[in-house]
Amino acid sequence: MIDQLAEIKARALKDLAAADDAEATEAWRVAYLGKKGQLTTVLRQLGALPPAERPLVGQKANEVKVALELALAARLEVERRVALRRAAEAERVDVTLPGRQPSLGQVHPTTRVLKEVLDSFAAMGFQVAEGPDVEWDYYNFEALNIPKDHPARDMWDTFYVQSKGRPGEILLRTHTSPNQVRVMEKVRPPVRVVVPGRVYRYEATDATHESEFFQVEGLAVDKNVTMADLKGVLSAFAREMFGAERKVRFRCDYFPFVEPGVEMAISCFQCGGVGCRLCGNGWLEIMGAGMVHPKVLAGVGYDPSVYSGFAFGIGVERIAILKYGIDDIRLFYANDLRFLRQFK
Ligand code: DAH
């Protein structure tokens, strides 16, 4: 039996040395030290030996068992280290690799110009306000001196929102002008606001027409506000946006909510005002404006014999088109990155 034990030990150690992964090691443990393992089986037979032989064989058996257990422990320790090293290897970070550039977004050209416009008026003491895109007919038309069935409504055809209670009275605003009325209903003069926002037109789109675009409305009301204030403020704005050497031109135009109404143009910044492909005759129209109509003032409870004011409306994309030489307004809504990426 002693020989058998020695032989088991020799074979076991040889097998263990050959086990090359955790699974093989476990199979080895079961084969030798498990309940039905070779060594265990021999140990069980101890009881059958004559009592005189037992101590010696028992001692030897124990020695073999301890040797195998030690060998196993050493082997498991090696495996543990190998596994740790592998895990560390798998998680390794190369800190010398250059980082991945996050793709940064950028501001849309409309937003960019919008901000410039607002900043320019903010510097002249105008506050920024906002109003709803979905508007009552009353604010979009009636309160701006554009009664139902008045031909002036043809200037602004829009999209109507279906409503049970007030059919035909809810629409997408055609301009930011309703906010003149909304602001004046809330505050007493002096008023100095600019109101940016998206506006809508029922329009066949082409290079110069979109069914959605942005405007900035402006309004200043106080005692003794005159056309000179309108010209001063708008000229300062135009020179800030388009260059200090710009000349400005005001000509009569018709808008129902102002009297007199004007259209403002600047001398072309491309040709200096002599005439070119961009401007034609040397002038670029940039906005509509005028002195707030007495009816509009009276409508919000401002006494037109005490207060007066001027208003203006700027098409934001129109400014961007002029500034950057863009030849199609539809580009602003086409989401074409080749176009948008040019406005860093
Ligand atoms: N609301 C006008 C439009 O969309 C633009 C405009 C013209 C606004 C004259 C004004 C103004 O405030 O005084 O065509």
Side-chain angles (χ1 to χ4, degrees):
M1 204 172 222
I2 290 202
D3 290 347
Q4 201 188 347
L5 281 168
E7 194 252 333
I8 288 178
K9 180 179 170 190
R11 191 154 30 85
L13 292 178
K14 204 173 120 230
D15 284 358
L16 185 60
D20 53 4
D21 61 14
E23 240 171 76
T25 306
E26 174 61 9
W28 179 91
R29 189 191 62 78
V30 172
Y32 288 98
L33 297 170
K35 271 190 195 141
K36 292 178 186 162
Q38 297 184 33
L39 185 61
T40 323
T41 311
V42 174
L43 288 177
R44 284 229 183 83
Q45 294 162 7
L46 270 182
L49 288 175
E53 284 180 31
R54 273 184 221 162
L56 195 65
V57 179
Q59 198 193 349
K60 180 72 184 169
N62 209 41
E63 192 191 300
V64 172
K65 189 173 176 226
V66 169
L68 296 198
E69 281 172 352
L70 279 177
L72 176 64
R75 167 78 210 172
L76 289 176
E77 177 60 15
V78 169
E79 272 171 18
R80 194 180 66 85
R81 289 191 191 179
V82 168
L84 270 179
R85 201 177 308 131
R86 276 212 196 105
E89 196 68 28
E91 284 172 19
R92 200 171 72 171
V93 181
D94 181 352
V95 293
T96 67
L97 267 181
R100 251 175 240 148
Q101 275 266 333
S103 74
L104 282 185
Q106 69 199 55
V107 166
H108 190 280
T110 307
T111 311
R112 181 174 157 161
V113 170
L114 182 58
K115 186 174 181 313
E116 277 180 51
V117 172
L118 295 179
D119 285 351
S120 168
F121 285 105
M124 291 188 272
F126 285 74
Q127 285 182 290
V128 179
E130 283 186 295
D133 289 31
V134 180
E135 186 56 283
W136 293 108
D137 177 284
Y138 174 78
Y139 288 105
N140 197 78
F141 293 125
E142 294 278 339
L144 291 170
N145 193 30
I146 315 168
K148 289 221 161 56
D149 304 319
H150 192 282
R153 288 217 178 189
D154 294 350
M155 291 164 77
W156 300 279
D157 197 3
T158 187
F159 303 98
Y160 286 82
V161 175
Q162 282 186 348
S163 74
K164 285 214 184 82
R166 317 270 292 265
E169 303 230 353
I170 303 175
L171 45 78
L172 299 186
R173 64 179 175 198
T174 60
H175 48 185
T176 43
S177 302
N179 295 298
Q180 294 184 27
V181 179
R182 285 185 172 277
V183 168
M184 288 192 286
E185 279 181 348
K186 285 200 200 85
V187 300
R188 299 278 97 193
V191 174
R192 253 181 284 161
V193 285
V194 275
V195 186
R198 205 188 280 266
V199 301
Y200 306 83
R201 303 273 168 98
Y202 182 68
E203 195 100 66
T205 59
D206 62 27
T208 54
H209 297 87
E210 252 297 1
S211 53
E212 278 180 39
F213 54 97
F214 278 80
Q215 287 187 338
V216 172
E217 193 75 16
L219 177 71
V221 183
D222 202 352
K223 288 179 179 148
N224 303 317
V225 174
T226 69
M227 193 88 182
D229 299 306
L230 178 158
K231 291 177 80 172
V233 166
L234 296 184
S235 302
F237 162 73
R239 294 190 178 118
E240 174 149 343
M241 285 298 283
F242 292 101
E245 60 297 342
R246 294 279 68 71
K247 287 197 201 102
V248 294
R249 182 189 73 182
F250 294 88
R251 294 206 301 195
C252 285
D253 200 348
Y254 172 67
F255 302 98
F257 35 89
V258 284
E259 180 58 34
V262 295
E263 148 238 293
M264 179 191 184
I266 55 171
S267 57
C268 180
F269 49 85
Q270 202 130 95
C271 64
V274 294
C276 67
R277 252 185 63 209
L278 180 67
C279 62
N281 61 1
W283 294 99
L284 297 165
E285 287 167 25
I286 62 167
M287 70 173 96
M291 300 306 293
V292 182
H293 199 290
K295 278 194 186 168
V296 176
L297 292 175
V300 295
Y302 285 14
D303 183 347
S305 68
V306 177
Y307 295 108
S308 56
F310 65 86
F312 54 90
I314 302 172
V316 179
E317 286 85 353
R318 165 124 184 109
I319 301 283
I321 281 172
L322 293 175
K323 254 191 115 149
Y324 299 117
I326 299 163
D327 57 12
D328 194 326
I329 193 172
R330 290 169 294 192
L331 286 167
F332 288 94
Y333 293 93
N335 287 331
D336 186 336
L337 290 176
R338 289 170 303 178
F339 170 70
L340 297 172
R341 286 216 172 101
Q342 297 175 63
F343 303 90
K344 284 274 185 215

PDB file of all heavy atoms in Angstrom, residues 276-310:
ATOM      1  N   CYS A 276     -24.866  96.843 -58.031  1.00  0.00           N
ATOM      2  CA  CYS A 276     -24.186  95.590 -58.368  1.00  0.00           C
ATOM      3  C   CYS A 276     -25.219  94.466 -58.417  1.00  0.00           C
ATOM      4  O   CYS A 276     -26.416  94.717 -58.316  1.00  0.00           O
ATOM      5  CB  CYS A 276     -23.098  95.281 -57.336  1.00  0.00           C
ATOM      6  SG  CYS A 276     -23.733  94.887 -55.685  1.00  0.00           S
ATOM      7  N   ARG A 277     -24.760  93.225 -58.548  1.00  0.00           N
ATOM      8  CA  ARG A 277     -25.700  92.105 -58.660  1.00  0.00           C
ATOM      9  C   ARG A 277     -26.531  91.923 -57.403  1.00  0.00           C
ATOM     10  O   ARG A 277     -27.680  91.540 -57.440  1.00  0.00           O
ATOM     11  CB  ARG A 277     -24.917  90.814 -58.940  1.00  0.00           C
ATOM     12  CG  ARG A 277     -25.093  90.329 -60.359  1.00  0.00           C
ATOM     13  CD  ARG A 277     -24.409  88.998 -60.556  1.00  0.00           C
ATOM     14  NE  ARG A 277     -24.979  87.944 -59.720  1.00  0.00           N
ATOM     15  CZ  ARG A 277     -24.297  86.894 -59.266  1.00  0.00           C
ATOM     16  NH1 ARG A 277     -23.028  86.766 -59.555  1.00  0.00           N
ATOM     17  NH2 ARG A 277     -24.884  85.988 -58.522  1.00  0.00           N
ATOM     18  N   LEU A 278     -25.905  92.182 -56.230  1.00  0.00           N
ATOM     19  CA  LEU A 278     -26.610  91.984 -54.965  1.00  0.00           C
ATOM     20  C   LEU A 278     -27.745  92.988 -54.790  1.00  0.00           C
ATOM     21  O   LEU A 278     -28.868  92.632 -54.446  1.00  0.00           O
ATOM     22  CB  LEU A 278     -25.614  92.099 -53.791  1.00  0.00           C
ATOM     23  CG  LEU A 278     -26.206  91.922 -52.389  1.00  0.00           C
ATOM     24  CD1 LEU A 278     -26.696  90.498 -52.179  1.00  0.00           C
ATOM     25  CD2 LEU A 278     -25.173  92.281 -51.318  1.00  0.00           C
ATOM     26  N   CYS A 279     -27.451  94.272 -55.079  1.00  0.00           N
ATOM     27  CA  CYS A 279     -28.421  95.322 -54.746  1.00  0.00           C
ATOM     28  C   CYS A 279     -29.207  95.828 -55.947  1.00  0.00           C
ATOM     29  O   CYS A 279     -30.295  96.380 -55.796  1.00  0.00           O
ATOM     30  CB  CYS A 279     -27.694  96.493 -54.101  1.00  0.00           C
ATOM     31  SG  CYS A 279     -26.471  97.243 -55.202  1.00  0.00           S
ATOM     32  N   GLY A 280     -28.658  95.704 -57.130  1.00  0.00           N
ATOM     33  CA  GLY A 280     -29.309  96.304 -58.296  1.00  0.00           C
ATOM     34  C   GLY A 280     -28.980  97.784 -58.392  1.00  0.00           C
ATOM     35  O   GLY A 280     -28.096  98.192 -59.128  1.00  0.00           O
ATOM     36  N   ASN A 281     -29.677  98.591 -57.563  1.00  0.00           N
ATOM     37  CA  ASN A 281     -29.537 100.044 -57.731  1.00  0.00           C
ATOM     38  C   ASN A 281     -28.730 100.732 -56.629  1.00  0.00           C
ATOM     39  O   ASN A 281     -28.810 101.934 -56.443  1.00  0.00           O
ATOM     40  CB  ASN A 281     -30.917 100.683 -57.807  1.00  0.00           C
ATOM     41  CG  ASN A 281     -31.698 100.415 -56.520  1.00  0.00           C
ATOM     42  OD1 ASN A 281     -31.177  99.767 -55.601  1.00  0.00           O
ATOM     43  ND2 ASN A 281     -32.911 100.901 -56.434  1.00  0.00           N
ATOM     44  N   GLY A 282     -27.997  99.933 -55.844  1.00  0.00           N
ATOM     45  CA  GLY A 282     -27.164 100.564 -54.809  1.00  0.00           C
ATOM     46  C   GLY A 282     -27.765 100.526 -53.414  1.00  0.00           C
ATOM     47  O   GLY A 282     -27.096 100.838 -52.438  1.00  0.00           O
ATOM     48  N   TRP A 283     -29.059 100.142 -53.305  1.00  0.00           N
ATOM     49  CA  TRP A 283     -29.728 100.121 -51.999  1.00  0.00           C
ATOM     50  C   TRP A 283     -30.241  98.729 -51.663  1.00  0.00           C
ATOM     51  O   TRP A 283     -30.716  98.007 -52.525  1.00  0.00           O
ATOM     52  CB  TRP A 283     -30.902 101.098 -51.986  1.00  0.00           C
ATOM     53  CG  TRP A 283     -30.471 102.529 -52.101  1.00  0.00           C
ATOM     54  CD1 TRP A 283     -30.471 103.290 -53.253  1.00  0.00           C
ATOM     55  CD2 TRP A 283     -29.963 103.358 -51.056  1.00  0.00           C
ATOM     56  NE1 TRP A 283     -29.998 104.541 -52.977  1.00  0.00           N
ATOM     57  CE2 TRP A 283     -29.681 104.622 -51.641  1.00  0.00           C
ATOM     58  CE3 TRP A 283     -29.725 103.174 -49.695  1.00  0.00           C
ATOM     59  CZ2 TRP A 283     -29.172 105.687 -50.894  1.00  0.00           C
ATOM     60  CZ3 TRP A 283     -29.222 104.231 -48.950  1.00  0.00           C
ATOM     61  CH2 TRP A 283     -28.944 105.480 -49.545  1.00  0.00           C
ATOM     62  N   LEU A 284     -30.150  98.363 -50.389  1.00  0.00           N
ATOM     63  CA  LEU A 284     -30.691  97.082 -49.915  1.00  0.00           C
ATOM     64  C   LEU A 284     -31.760  97.377 -48.857  1.00  0.00           C
ATOM     65  O   LEU A 284     -31.473  98.006 -47.839  1.00  0.00           O
ATOM     66  CB  LEU A 284     -29.567  96.255 -49.276  1.00  0.00           C
ATOM     67  CG  LEU A 284     -28.414  95.824 -50.181  1.00  0.00           C
ATOM     68  CD1 LEU A 284     -27.238  95.343 -49.334  1.00  0.00           C
ATOM     69  CD2 LEU A 284     -28.875  94.731 -51.128  1.00  0.00           C
ATOM     70  N   GLU A 285     -32.977  96.896 -49.125  1.00  0.00           N
ATOM     71  CA  GLU A 285     -34.034  97.093 -48.126  1.00  0.00           C
ATOM     72  C   GLU A 285     -33.807  96.137 -46.968  1.00  0.00           C
ATOM     73  O   GLU A 285     -33.592  94.944 -47.180  1.00  0.00           O
ATOM     74  CB  GLU A 285     -35.395  96.801 -48.755  1.00  0.00           C
ATOM     75  CG  GLU A 285     -35.826  97.892 -49.707  1.00  0.00           C
ATOM     76  CD  GLU A 285     -37.012  97.468 -50.556  1.00  0.00           C
ATOM     77  OE1 GLU A 285     -37.767  96.572 -50.106  1.00  0.00           O
ATOM     78  OE2 GLU A 285     -37.157  98.023 -51.657  1.00  0.00           O
ATOM     79  N   ILE A 286     -33.850  96.662 -45.761  1.00  0.00           N
ATOM     80  CA  ILE A 286     -33.630  95.746 -44.636  1.00  0.00           C
ATOM     81  C   ILE A 286     -34.787  95.649 -43.645  1.00  0.00           C
ATOM     82  O   ILE A 286     -34.828  94.716 -42.856  1.00  0.00           O
ATOM     83  CB  ILE A 286     -32.312  96.035 -43.875  1.00  0.00           C
ATOM     84  CG1 ILE A 286     -32.323  97.419 -43.252  1.00  0.00           C
ATOM     85  CG2 ILE A 286     -31.101  95.860 -44.792  1.00  0.00           C
ATOM     86  CD1 ILE A 286     -31.188  97.604 -42.230  1.00  0.00           C
ATOM     87  N   MET A 287     -35.730  96.576 -43.665  1.00  0.00           N
ATOM     88  CA  MET A 287     -36.862  96.400 -42.752  1.00  0.00           C
ATOM     89  C   MET A 287     -38.000  97.374 -43.036  1.00  0.00           C
ATOM     90  O   MET A 287     -37.849  98.332 -43.787  1.00  0.00           O
ATOM     91  CB  MET A 287     -36.417  96.581 -41.301  1.00  0.00           C
ATOM     92  CG  MET A 287     -36.061  98.014 -40.930  1.00  0.00           C
ATOM     93  SD  MET A 287     -35.737  98.183 -39.168  1.00  0.00           S
ATOM     94  CE  MET A 287     -33.967  98.039 -39.140  1.00  0.00           C
ATOM     95  N   GLY A 288     -39.157  97.069 -42.415  1.00  0.00           N
ATOM     96  CA  GLY A 288     -40.291  97.980 -42.429  1.00  0.00           C
ATOM     97  C   GLY A 288     -40.376  98.652 -41.077  1.00  0.00           C
ATOM     98  O   GLY A 288     -39.988  98.063 -40.063  1.00  0.00           O
ATOM     99  N   ALA A 289     -40.888  99.867 -41.045  1.00  0.00           N
ATOM    100  CA  ALA A 289     -40.968 100.593 -39.769  1.00  0.00           C
ATOM    101  C   ALA A 289     -42.011 101.691 -39.879  1.00  0.00           C
ATOM    102  O   ALA A 289     -42.638 101.876 -40.936  1.00  0.00           O
ATOM    103  CB  ALA A 289     -39.610 101.183 -39.409  1.00  0.00           C
ATOM    104  N   GLY A 290     -42.196 102.431 -38.804  1.00  0.00           N
ATOM    105  CA  GLY A 290     -43.131 103.549 -38.865  1.00  0.00           C
ATOM    106  C   GLY A 290     -43.493 104.045 -37.480  1.00  0.00           C
ATOM    107  O   GLY A 290     -43.038 103.497 -36.470  1.00  0.00           O
ATOM    108  N   MET A 291     -44.304 105.118 -37.470  1.00  0.00           N
ATOM    109  CA  MET A 291     -44.785 105.648 -36.198  1.00  0.00           C
ATOM    110  C   MET A 291     -46.074 104.899 -35.836  1.00  0.00           C
ATOM    111  O   MET A 291     -46.987 104.795 -36.667  1.00  0.00           O
ATOM    112  CB  MET A 291     -45.062 107.156 -36.326  1.00  0.00           C
ATOM    113  CG  MET A 291     -43.829 107.982 -36.717  1.00  0.00           C
ATOM    114  SD  MET A 291     -42.397 107.726 -35.619  1.00  0.00           S
ATOM    115  CE  MET A 291     -42.994 108.448 -34.091  1.00  0.00           C
ATOM    116  N   VAL A 292     -46.135 104.392 -34.623  1.00  0.00           N
ATOM    117  CA  VAL A 292     -47.266 103.565 -34.212  1.00  0.00           C
ATOM    118  C   VAL A 292     -48.590 104.306 -34.456  1.00  0.00           C
ATOM    119  O   VAL A 292     -48.737 105.479 -34.089  1.00  0.00           O
ATOM    120  CB  VAL A 292     -47.163 103.180 -32.716  1.00  0.00           C
ATOM    121  CG1 VAL A 292     -48.330 102.286 -32.307  1.00  0.00           C
ATOM    122  CG2 VAL A 292     -45.833 102.473 -32.449  1.00  0.00           C
ATOM    123  N   HIS A 293     -49.524 103.623 -35.117  1.00  0.00           N
ATOM    124  CA  HIS A 293     -50.801 104.236 -35.482  1.00  0.00           C
ATOM    125  C   HIS A 293     -51.593 104.615 -34.227  1.00  0.00           C
ATOM    126  O   HIS A 293     -51.664 103.828 -33.281  1.00  0.00           O
ATOM    127  CB  HIS A 293     -51.608 103.238 -36.326  1.00  0.00           C
ATOM    128  CG  HIS A 293     -52.692 103.879 -37.117  1.00  0.00           C
ATOM    129  ND1 HIS A 293     -53.824 104.417 -36.536  1.00  0.00           N
ATOM    130  CD2 HIS A 293     -52.822 104.107 -38.462  1.00  0.00           C
ATOM    131  CE1 HIS A 293     -54.606 104.918 -37.479  1.00  0.00           C
ATOM    132  NE2 HIS A 293     -54.012 104.739 -38.656  1.00  0.00           N
ATOM    133  N   PRO A 294     -52.179 105.829 -34.230  1.00  0.00           N
ATOM    134  CA  PRO A 294     -52.963 106.251 -33.058  1.00  0.00           C
ATOM    135  C   PRO A 294     -54.034 105.232 -32.661  1.00  0.00           C
ATOM    136  O   PRO A 294     -54.311 105.046 -31.471  1.00  0.00           O
ATOM    137  CB  PRO A 294     -53.613 107.562 -33.513  1.00  0.00           C
ATOM    138  CG  PRO A 294     -52.772 108.058 -34.637  1.00  0.00           C
ATOM    139  CD  PRO A 294     -52.107 106.858 -35.270  1.00  0.00           C
ATOM    140  N   LYS A 295     -54.603 104.537 -33.640  1.00  0.00           N
ATOM    141  CA  LYS A 295     -55.638 103.544 -33.322  1.00  0.00           C
ATOM    142  C   LYS A 295     -55.073 102.383 -32.514  1.00  0.00           C
ATOM    143  O   LYS A 295     -55.747 101.801 -31.669  1.00  0.00           O
ATOM    144  CB  LYS A 295     -56.258 102.990 -34.609  1.00  0.00           C
ATOM    145  CG  LYS A 295     -57.319 103.864 -35.200  1.00  0.00           C
ATOM    146  CD  LYS A 295     -58.079 103.057 -36.238  1.00  0.00           C
ATOM    147  CE  LYS A 295     -59.079 103.939 -36.966  1.00  0.00           C
ATOM    148  NZ  LYS A 295     -59.623 103.254 -38.153  1.00  0.00           N
ATOM    149  N   VAL A 296     -53.827 102.015 -32.833  1.00  0.00           N
ATOM    150  CA  VAL A 296     -53.185 100.914 -32.101  1.00  0.00           C
ATOM    151  C   VAL A 296     -52.916 101.354 -30.658  1.00  0.00           C
ATOM    152  O   VAL A 296     -53.175 100.611 -29.706  1.00  0.00           O
ATOM    153  CB  VAL A 296     -51.882 100.475 -32.801  1.00  0.00           C
ATOM    154  CG1 VAL A 296     -51.160  99.403 -31.984  1.00  0.00           C
ATOM    155  CG2 VAL A 296     -52.186  99.956 -34.208  1.00  0.00           C
ATOM    156  N   LEU A 297     -52.445 102.587 -30.498  1.00  0.00           N
ATOM    157  CA  LEU A 297     -52.193 103.112 -29.147  1.00  0.00           C
ATOM    158  C   LEU A 297     -53.498 103.178 -28.358  1.00  0.00           C
ATOM    159  O   LEU A 297     -53.584 102.686 -27.219  1.00  0.00           O
ATOM    160  CB  LEU A 297     -51.561 104.512 -29.229  1.00  0.00           C
ATOM    161  CG  LEU A 297     -50.140 104.583 -29.802  1.00  0.00           C
ATOM    162  CD1 LEU A 297     -49.701 106.040 -29.941  1.00  0.00           C
ATOM    163  CD2 LEU A 297     -49.147 103.826 -28.920  1.00  0.00           C
ATOM    164  N   ALA A 298     -54.518 103.744 -28.978  1.00  0.00           N
ATOM    165  CA  ALA A 298     -55.805 103.896 -28.284  1.00  0.00           C
ATOM    166  C   ALA A 298     -56.384 102.531 -27.908  1.00  0.00           C
ATOM    167  O   ALA A 298     -56.977 102.377 -26.838  1.00  0.00           O
ATOM    168  CB  ALA A 298     -56.783 104.672 -29.158  1.00  0.00           C
ATOM    169  N   GLY A 299     -56.151 101.552 -28.790  1.00  0.00           N
ATOM    170  CA  GLY A 299     -56.682 100.212 -28.554  1.00  0.00           C
ATOM    171  C   GLY A 299     -56.170  99.565 -27.279  1.00  0.00           C
ATOM    172  O   GLY A 299     -56.840  98.728 -26.666  1.00  0.00           O
ATOM    173  N   VAL A 300     -54.976  99.938 -26.851  1.00  0.00           N
ATOM    174  CA  VAL A 300     -54.434  99.360 -25.619  1.00  0.00           C
ATOM    175  C   VAL A 300     -54.537 100.353 -24.451  1.00  0.00           C
ATOM    176  O   VAL A 300     -53.954 100.156 -23.394  1.00  0.00           O
ATOM    177  CB  VAL A 300     -52.953  98.939 -25.784  1.00  0.00           C
ATOM    178  CG1 VAL A 300     -52.827  97.822 -26.795  1.00  0.00           C
ATOM    179  CG2 VAL A 300     -52.076 100.130 -26.190  1.00  0.00           C
ATOM    180  N   GLY A 301     -55.279 101.433 -24.691  1.00  0.00           N
ATOM    181  CA  GLY A 301     -55.503 102.375 -23.608  1.00  0.00           C
ATOM    182  C   GLY A 301     -54.393 103.400 -23.408  1.00  0.00           C
ATOM    183  O   GLY A 301     -54.303 104.025 -22.362  1.00  0.00           O
ATOM    184  N   TYR A 302     -53.536 103.554 -24.416  1.00  0.00           N
ATOM    185  CA  TYR A 302     -52.541 104.634 -24.355  1.00  0.00           C
ATOM    186  C   TYR A 302     -53.179 105.851 -25.044  1.00  0.00           C
ATOM    187  O   TYR A 302     -53.685 105.724 -26.157  1.00  0.00           O
ATOM    188  CB  TYR A 302     -51.277 104.276 -25.150  1.00  0.00           C
ATOM    189  CG  TYR A 302     -50.335 103.276 -24.520  1.00  0.00           C
ATOM    190  CD1 TYR A 302     -50.711 102.491 -23.433  1.00  0.00           C
ATOM    191  CD2 TYR A 302     -49.046 103.126 -25.039  1.00  0.00           C
ATOM    192  CE1 TYR A 302     -49.813 101.578 -22.886  1.00  0.00           C
ATOM    193  CE2 TYR A 302     -48.148 102.221 -24.490  1.00  0.00           C
ATOM    194  CZ  TYR A 302     -48.544 101.435 -23.419  1.00  0.00           C
ATOM    195  OH  TYR A 302     -47.661 100.539 -22.891  1.00  0.00           O
ATOM    196  N   ASP A 303     -53.112 107.019 -24.420  1.00  0.00           N
ATOM    197  CA  ASP A 303     -53.700 108.217 -25.008  1.00  0.00           C
ATOM    198  C   ASP A 303     -52.787 108.735 -26.126  1.00  0.00           C
ATOM    199  O   ASP A 303     -51.682 109.204 -25.859  1.00  0.00           O
ATOM    200  CB  ASP A 303     -53.872 109.279 -23.916  1.00  0.00           C
ATOM    201  CG  ASP A 303     -54.544 110.542 -24.457  1.00  0.00           C
ATOM    202  OD1 ASP A 303     -54.641 110.681 -25.709  1.00  0.00           O
ATOM    203  OD2 ASP A 303     -54.955 111.371 -23.641  1.00  0.00           O
ATOM    204  N   PRO A 304     -53.255 108.668 -27.407  1.00  0.00           N
ATOM    205  CA  PRO A 304     -52.392 109.069 -28.527  1.00  0.00           C
ATOM    206  C   PRO A 304     -52.064 110.556 -28.529  1.00  0.00           C
ATOM    207  O   PRO A 304     -51.148 110.985 -29.243  1.00  0.00           O
ATOM    208  CB  PRO A 304     -53.206 108.701 -29.781  1.00  0.00           C
ATOM    209  CG  PRO A 304     -54.436 108.021 -29.306  1.00  0.00           C
ATOM    210  CD  PRO A 304     -54.589 108.210 -27.839  1.00  0.00           C
ATOM    211  N   SER A 305     -52.798 111.350 -27.733  1.00  0.00           N
ATOM    212  CA  SER A 305     -52.442 112.765 -27.689  1.00  0.00           C
ATOM    213  C   SER A 305     -51.332 113.013 -26.666  1.00  0.00           C
ATOM    214  O   SER A 305     -50.765 114.097 -26.603  1.00  0.00           O
ATOM    215  CB  SER A 305     -53.678 113.619 -27.359  1.00  0.00           C
ATOM    216  OG  SER A 305     -54.088 113.362 -26.034  1.00  0.00           O
ATOM    217  N   VAL A 306     -51.022 111.986 -25.880  1.00  0.00           N
ATOM    218  CA  VAL A 306     -49.947 112.117 -24.885  1.00  0.00           C
ATOM    219  C   VAL A 306     -48.710 111.309 -25.317  1.00  0.00           C
ATOM    220  O   VAL A 306     -47.584 111.757 -25.202  1.00  0.00           O
ATOM    221  CB  VAL A 306     -50.423 111.611 -23.495  1.00  0.00           C
ATOM    222  CG1 VAL A 306     -49.281 111.680 -22.470  1.00  0.00           C
ATOM    223  CG2 VAL A 306     -51.643 112.388 -23.029  1.00  0.00           C
ATOM    224  N   TYR A 307     -48.975 110.110 -25.827  1.00  0.00           N
ATOM    225  CA  TYR A 307     -47.873 109.199 -26.153  1.00  0.00           C
ATOM    226  C   TYR A 307     -47.728 108.996 -27.651  1.00  0.00           C
ATOM    227  O   TYR A 307     -48.713 109.030 -28.399  1.00  0.00           O
ATOM    228  CB  TYR A 307     -48.109 107.834 -25.498  1.00  0.00           C
ATOM    229  CG  TYR A 307     -48.074 107.910 -23.994  1.00  0.00           C
ATOM    230  CD1 TYR A 307     -49.243 107.786 -23.246  1.00  0.00           C
ATOM    231  CD2 TYR A 307     -46.871 108.123 -23.325  1.00  0.00           C
ATOM    232  CE1 TYR A 307     -49.213 107.862 -21.862  1.00  0.00           C
ATOM    233  CE2 TYR A 307     -46.839 108.218 -21.948  1.00  0.00           C
ATOM    234  CZ  TYR A 307     -48.003 108.080 -21.216  1.00  0.00           C
ATOM    235  OH  TYR A 307     -47.956 108.173 -19.859  1.00  0.00           O
ATOM    236  N   SER A 308     -46.532 108.753 -28.049  1.00  0.00           N
ATOM    237  CA  SER A 308     -46.276 108.379 -29.443  1.00  0.00           C
ATOM    238  C   SER A 308     -45.139 107.372 -29.439  1.00  0.00           C
ATOM    239  O   SER A 308     -44.433 107.209 -28.442  1.00  0.00           O
ATOM    240  CB  SER A 308     -45.889 109.610 -30.271  1.00  0.00           C
ATOM    241  OG  SER A 308     -44.767 110.250 -29.668  1.00  0.00           O
ATOM    242  N   GLY A 309     -44.974 106.700 -30.582  1.00  0.00           N
ATOM    243  CA  GLY A 309     -43.909 105.700 -30.591  1.00  0.00           C
ATOM    244  C   GLY A 309     -43.563 105.279 -32.001  1.00  0.00           C
ATOM    245  O   GLY A 309     -44.240 105.635 -32.959  1.00  0.00           O
ATOM    246  N   PHE A 310     -42.469 104.525 -32.097  1.00  0.00           N
ATOM    247  CA  PHE A 310     -42.149 103.948 -33.403  1.00  0.00           C
ATOM    248  C   PHE A 310     -42.022 102.443 -33.264  1.00  0.00           C
ATOM    249  O   PHE A 310     -41.788 101.918 -32.168  1.00  0.00           O
ATOM    250  CB  PHE A 310     -40.883 104.576 -34.007  1.00  0.00           C
ATOM    251  CG  PHE A 310     -39.604 104.304 -33.245  1.00  0.00           C
ATOM    252  CD1 PHE A 310     -38.859 103.155 -33.475  1.00  0.00           C
ATOM    253  CD2 PHE A 310     -39.139 105.237 -32.310  1.00  0.00           C
ATOM    254  CE1 PHE A 310     -37.673 102.922 -32.788  1.00  0.00           C
ATOM    255  CE2 PHE A 310     -37.952 105.010 -31.617  1.00  0.00           C
ATOM    256  CZ  PHE A 310     -37.220 103.849 -31.845  1.00  0.00           C
TER     257      PHE A 310
END
